[in-house]
Amino acid sequence: MSELQVTTADCDIAVIGGGVAGLHAIKAAAKIKGLQVTAVIANPFIEFSMGAAEFLCDHKRHSDYIMGRPESWQVKGVGYIFEPSPEIDPAAKTLKFASGRLTYRAVIVCTGSRMPLIMPQPGDSAAARVAEVKKVSDAIGAAQTVVFNGSGTI
């Protein structure tokens, strides 16, 4: 049985992802005393995609499903990096970003899926996402026929 090698790292736990699973992992890890937790989230806002069927049809409802001010949902004591998902080097226990790198002792990956229109694109600002939702909502509102594929949240 091999022993755990303790290395110097920028954080003990890096959590990648800002959806429901990522937010839960961030909160759970932050409760463990003595751990330094860093959250890596692609966008500086949280959007709940389960409301997409509603807010894509009526952009005025989008504000019901988006939390645009990070300070309103960040967990105290957790470090945050707002950049799209990094390159992961498991051997070096390093996340590489366009702006630099982060070393970790353990990583939790909660990136979910990327569905165009239903979810914001990694790296988008809240203003860009609001504009995209309005454009889609206006197009759906002007359409004479709308076809839904699958039942989803409708």
Side-chain angles (χ1 to χ4, degrees):
M1 182 187 237
S2 64
E3 291 184 25
L4 176 67
Q5 287 186 322
V6 179
T7 60
T8 302
D10 296 323
C11 67
D12 294 305
I13 298 178
V15 179
I16 304 172
V20 174
L23 294 176
H24 178 74
I26 292 163
K27 287 181 180 182
K31 288 179 182 177
I32 302 170
K33 291 187 183 207
L35 286 184
Q36 185 176 354
V37 180
T38 300
V40 179
I41 301 176
N43 308 84
F45 62 92
I46 301 291
E47 180 181 89
F48 297 97
S49 60
M50 74 285 248
E54 187 171 350
F55 66 70
L56 288 174
C57 293
D58 180 3
H59 68 89
K60 294 175 189 146
R61 299 298 312 271
H62 191 216
S63 62
D64 294 340
Y65 297 95
I66 191 169
M67 296 188 316
R69 292 182 15 251
E71 61 276 6
S72 70
W73 49 265
Q74 289 177 325
V75 177
K76 186 178 178 179
V78 172
Y80 286 84
I81 297 173
F82 295 107
E83 281 195 49
S85 295
E87 176 186 330
I88 301 175
D89 181 346
K93 294 190 172 191
T94 301
L95 305 179
K96 298 176 184 175
F97 302 89
S99 65
R101 63 185 208 114
L102 175 76
T103 57
Y104 58 84
R105 291 182 58 209
V107 65
I108 301 171
V109 180
C110 306
T111 55
S113 61
R114 293 186 180 144
M115 298 178 287
L117 297 180
I118 303 299
M119 301 179 80
Q121 294 304 302
D124 275 357
S125 67
R129 179 60 174 160
V130 167
E132 178 185 40
V133 166
K134 183 177 183 329
K135 182 179 175 181
V136 171
S137 174
D138 290 347
I140 290 172
Q144 292 181 359
T145 303
V146 177
V147 176
F148 293 94
N149 182 8
S151 59
T153 57
I154 300 172

